[in-house]
């Protein structure tokens, strides 16, 4: 398998140190607190039904006992992590990738890189979530439990105002649909707005992303839209938006498939749906979208199949978002219309979850592994073969997964950093900088930001848009 010519980051490197000392313990504490609250509610419920429903009371008692065991295990993990103890083998829980994680851990043990402060950052974080999965899976009443589901749902509920606004904007495009499909220049401006919406989730700058695009404004897209995009361009440190659009224009009326490798649930998944809807509904370039989730709870907020399904049902519910005096009845109707279209697309197979395609469950396992994605063709050849048939694969993940948690010089070319994955399929990476790994950036630009004291690698303020076409085989 591909070996990078530079060493990996470990949890004591720069932002990684904050991860192992602060961020991971906070995540574990939040899980403990969440389970504690659930156990409190279960205890009260058991007291209420102990006379009227004995079997229900006994079930709640058993689940409470198991929950207390889980709290003890996670508390012990937190203690061991803070003291740089060795990572322990994941116990067999009947779920995926146990042998693979333990084999990699044994390899790290041979080089004495198997403690919380010495293990490579990417492996250690992936291992953490697989270990948490095992803690719950080993308990009869908690198997498959998502300890982050409530957190994801609450965050999603807080984004109602932006969601309604985007829904109205997309509704306003409907009257211009025919004109747009025949005007690549206007589509290009909208396409770039979609990319920038996905990068910053319409909140870091303002709601100027994807707004002010009513039918009358569309006539001025080439000026107004481009000016706004130019104002934001200084925050995109690698910008291949023009290159990917030039490629996409060659796909017209060919019925191509788009593959979306998803990242976060909630509002970000909503914007991914909007982007996919735009490409299928308003452009002639794609006719199908396959969304690739994680199989189990991952990095707190990553999309699982359950999250995917819940997003549609939540958006269709008129009571999901808290009442907001600024939300108009028209916007509520616009959201209903748009999401109903998405549901119809799902029913017709135009939008498809990867786990629902042939061999999709097996292919999806790869995304929960501890490997950089450059090993895809060797470790998950069926997935690599599937993506090789795509018109475009959009990755909504950090460069840590595509380029490994490797100390690449910032000027390293993107194709070099993703190793053998380069050229396997048309690839677009949309990434806001939230980890140390960053490639494809002019060295002088990086030095200038460093000299200003900018935490540009991890702040989320800056972004990278990286495109690679399919390799042409002679």
């Amino acid at each position: 398998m591909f070996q990078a010519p530079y060493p990996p980051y470990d949890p004591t490197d720069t932002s990684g140190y904050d991860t192992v000392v602060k961020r991971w313990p906070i995540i574990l504490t939040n899980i403990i607190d969440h389970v504690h609250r659930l156990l409190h509610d279960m205890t009260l419920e058991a007291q209420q039904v102990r006379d009227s429903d004995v079997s229900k009371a006994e079930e709640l008692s058993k689940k409470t006992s198991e929950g207390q065991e889980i709290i003890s295990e996670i508390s012990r993990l937190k203690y061991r992590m803070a003291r740089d103890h060795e990572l322990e083998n994941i116990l067999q829980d009947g779920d995926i990738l146990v042998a693979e994680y333990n084999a990699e851990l044994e390899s790290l043990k041979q080089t004495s890189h198997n403690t919380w402060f010495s293990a490579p950052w990417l492996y250690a974080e992936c291992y953490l979530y697989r270990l948490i999965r095992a803690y719950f899976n080993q308990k009869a009443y908690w198997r498959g439990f998502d300890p982050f589901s409530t957190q994801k749902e609450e965050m999603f509920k807080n984004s109602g105002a932006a969601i309604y606004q985007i829904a109205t904007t997309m509704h306003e495009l409907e009257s211009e649909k025919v004109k747009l499909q025949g005007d690549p220049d206007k589509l290009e401006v909208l396409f770039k707005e979609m990319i920038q919406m996905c990068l910053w989730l319409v909140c870091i700058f303002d709601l100027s992303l994807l707004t002010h695009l009513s039918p009358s404004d569309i006539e001025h897209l080439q000026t107004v839209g481009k000016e706004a995009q130019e104002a934001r361009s200084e925050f995109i440190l690698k910008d291949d938006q023009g290159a990917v659009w030039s490629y996409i224009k060659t796909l017209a009326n060919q019925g191509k498939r788009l593959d979306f490798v998803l990242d976060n649930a909630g509002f970000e998944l909503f914007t991914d749906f909007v982007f996919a809807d735009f490409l299928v509904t308003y452009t002639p370039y794609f006719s199908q979208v396959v969304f690739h989730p994680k199989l189990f709870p991952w990095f707190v907020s990553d999309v699982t199949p359950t999250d995917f399904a819940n997003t549609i049902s939540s958006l269709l519910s008129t009571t999901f978002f808290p009442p907001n005096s600024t939300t108009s009845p028209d916007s509520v109707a616009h959201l209903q219309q748009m999401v109903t279209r998405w549901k119809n697309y799902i029913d017709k197979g135009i939008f498809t979850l990867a786990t629902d395609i042939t061999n999709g469950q097996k292919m999806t396992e790869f995304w929960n592994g501890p490997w950089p994605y450059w090993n895809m063709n060797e470790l998950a050849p069926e997935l690599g073969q599937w993506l090789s048939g795509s018109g475009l694969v959009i990755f909504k993940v950090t460069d840590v997964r595509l380029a490994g948690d490797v100390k690449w010089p910032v000027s390293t070319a993107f194709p070099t950093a993703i190793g053998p994955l380069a050229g396997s399929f048309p690839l677009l990476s949309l990434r806001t900088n939230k980890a140390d790994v960053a490639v494809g950036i002019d060295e002088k630009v990086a030095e200038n930001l460093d000299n200003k004291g900018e935490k540009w690698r991890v702040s989320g303020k800056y972004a990278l848009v990286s495109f690679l076409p399919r390799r042409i085989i002679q």
Side-chain angles (χ1 to χ4, degrees):
M1 290 194 289
F2 177 70
Q3 294 292 324
Y6 298 93
Y9 285 97
D10 64 52
T12 61
D13 285 308
T14 55
S15 65
Y17 184 78
D18 282 341
T19 288
V20 75
V21 172
K22 297 179 182 178
R23 189 166 63 84
W24 289 345
I26 289 173
I27 290 169
L28 295 177
T29 299
N30 287 341
I31 295 174
I32 291 170
D33 290 346
H34 180 50
V35 176
H36 259 305
R37 288 191 294 270
L38 292 175
L39 297 186
H40 174 71
D41 293 342
M42 289 177 201
T43 300
L44 293 178
E45 184 181 358
Q47 292 172 351
Q48 292 171 354
V49 303
R50 62 186 174 189
D51 295 327
S52 60
D53 192 339
V54 175
S55 62
K56 178 67 173 179
E58 290 178 350
E59 180 181 307
L60 288 168
S61 177
K62 292 176 182 178
K63 187 170 184 178
T64 299
S65 295
E66 287 186 349
Q68 291 168 342
E69 293 172 7
I70 291 170
I71 288 174
S72 295
E73 290 169 337
I74 296 177
S75 298
R76 176 178 176 272
L77 171 61
K78 186 178 171 184
Y79 176 91
R80 291 177 59 81
M81 181 185 290
R83 287 153 184 81
D84 195 28
H85 287 192
E86 290 185 355
L87 281 66
E88 299 176 305
N89 276 351
I90 297 171
L91 297 180
Q92 182 55 253
D93 63 351
D95 211 335
I96 62 172
L97 300 175
V98 174
E100 289 83 353
Y101 271 94
N102 288 342
E104 183 66 23
L105 183 56
E106 180 60 31
S107 177
L108 292 172
K109 186 176 181 180
Q110 302 304 316
T111 59
S112 299
H113 286 88
N114 61 325
T115 70
W116 284 103
F117 282 84
S118 65
W121 179 89
L122 176 58
Y123 176 83
E125 181 131 22
C126 293
Y127 163 91
L128 174 63
Y129 290 96
R130 184 60 187 88
L131 185 63
I132 292 169
R133 176 72 166 178
Y135 287 158
F136 286 98
N137 275 349
Q138 288 159 12
K139 310 301 180 186
Y141 291 96
W142 294 86
R143 184 172 182 83
F145 179 75
D146 183 350
F148 311 115
S149 60
T150 299
Q151 185 177 348
K152 286 184 279 191
E153 182 177 298
E154 289 304 314
M155 288 293 291
F156 192 27
K157 285 183 176 180
N158 290 333
S159 58
I163 284 172
Y164 285 124
Q165 188 168 355
I166 291 173
T168 292
T169 297
M170 296 302 291
H171 174 79
E172 290 167 345
L173 293 182
E174 188 65 27
S175 64
E176 299 294 306
K177 180 178 176 180
V178 175
K179 289 183 181 179
L180 286 172
Q181 288 189 336
D183 193 332
D185 291 337
K186 291 178 181 177
L187 283 176
E188 179 180 8
V189 177
L190 283 169
F191 174 76
K192 290 181 178 179
E193 289 289 299
M194 294 286 168
I195 283 183
Q196 294 178 29
M197 171 192 67
C198 287
L199 287 173
W200 290 295
L201 305 182
V202 307
C203 61
I204 287 182
F205 291 91
D206 54 47
L207 285 174
S208 64
L209 299 178
L210 270 190
T211 60
H212 313 306
L213 293 178
S214 64
S216 60
D217 293 321
I218 289 176
E219 294 303 317
H220 305 288
L221 277 174
Q222 283 109 321
T223 55
V224 177
K226 286 184 178 179
E227 288 175 3
Q229 289 166 10
E230 286 171 4
R232 295 189 291 264
S233 64
E234 65 177 293
F235 299 102
I236 303 178
L237 302 181
K238 175 175 172 54
D239 190 353
D240 287 344
Q241 292 180 93
V244 68
W245 182 249
S246 295
Y247 163 74
I248 287 174
K249 287 192 295 184
T250 68
L251 306 180
N253 303 313
Q254 297 178 42
K256 289 293 185 179
R257 187 185 80 234
L258 173 70
D259 285 82
F260 238 112
V261 181
L262 300 170
D263 193 15
N264 296 309
F267 185 50
E268 181 170 340
L269 177 57
F270 169 79
T271 63
D272 295 338
F273 271 120
V274 171
F275 196 2
D277 185 22
F278 166 74
L279 289 171
V280 168
T281 305
Y282 299 100
T283 84
Y285 306 124
F286 297 97
S287 61
Q288 182 190 12
V289 183
V290 174
F291 297 90
H292 297 261
K294 308 301 189 300
L295 279 182
F296 57 77
W298 193 247
F299 285 59
V300 179
S301 57
D302 279 31
V303 179
T304 66
T306 300
D307 295 326
F308 187 88
N310 288 347
T311 296
I312 297 297
S313 59
S314 296
L315 290 168
L316 287 173
S317 169
T318 56
T319 59
F320 178 75
F321 296 110
N324 189 318
S325 60
T326 63
T327 301
S328 70
D330 285 345
S331 291
V332 174
H334 297 157
L335 180 62
Q336 289 285 310
Q337 293 166 9
M338 181 172 68
V339 181
T340 298
R341 179 169 65 244
W342 299 351
K343 188 177 184 304
N344 289 336
Y345 282 173
I346 291 171
D347 293 341
K348 294 176 181 178
I350 297 171
F351 284 0
T352 306
L353 196 61
T355 50
D356 293 332
I357 64 178
T358 303
N359 297 323
Q361 197 81 12
K362 180 64 178 176
M363 288 192 291
T364 303
E365 290 182 8
F366 178 77
W367 308 120
N368 285 105
W371 318 285
Y373 290 167
W374 64 48
N375 290 325
M376 179 188 300
N377 291 323
E378 291 153 290
L379 296 175
E382 288 183 343
L383 175 60
Q385 184 64 31
W386 172 267
L387 295 181
S388 71
S390 181
L392 181 67
V393 183
I394 298 179
F395 282 85
K396 298 292 299 297
V397 295
T398 69
D399 277 0
V400 173
R401 300 313 305 266
L402 281 169
D405 58 337
V406 174
K407 298 178 181 179
W408 296 105
V410 292
S411 59
T412 303
F414 183 66
T416 300
I418 66 172
L421 200 63
S424 299
F425 42 79
L427 185 160
L428 174 63
S429 170
L430 303 179
R431 178 240 168 146
T432 47
N433 293 9
K434 290 180 278 188
D436 288 309
V437 179
V439 297
I441 302 170
D442 186 290
E443 205 164 314
K444 291 183 179 178
V445 172
E447 286 179 2
N448 185 46
L449 290 171
D450 286 335
N451 291 337
K452 290 180 179 178
E454 290 256 23
K455 294 183 178 180
W456 61 272
R457 290 178 181 264
V458 297
S459 66
K461 179 179 178 181
Y462 294 89
L464 304 172
V465 179
S466 306
F467 170 68
L468 276 180
R470 190 191 316 274
R471 184 188 304 112
I472 300 176
I473 300 175
Q474 301 293 338

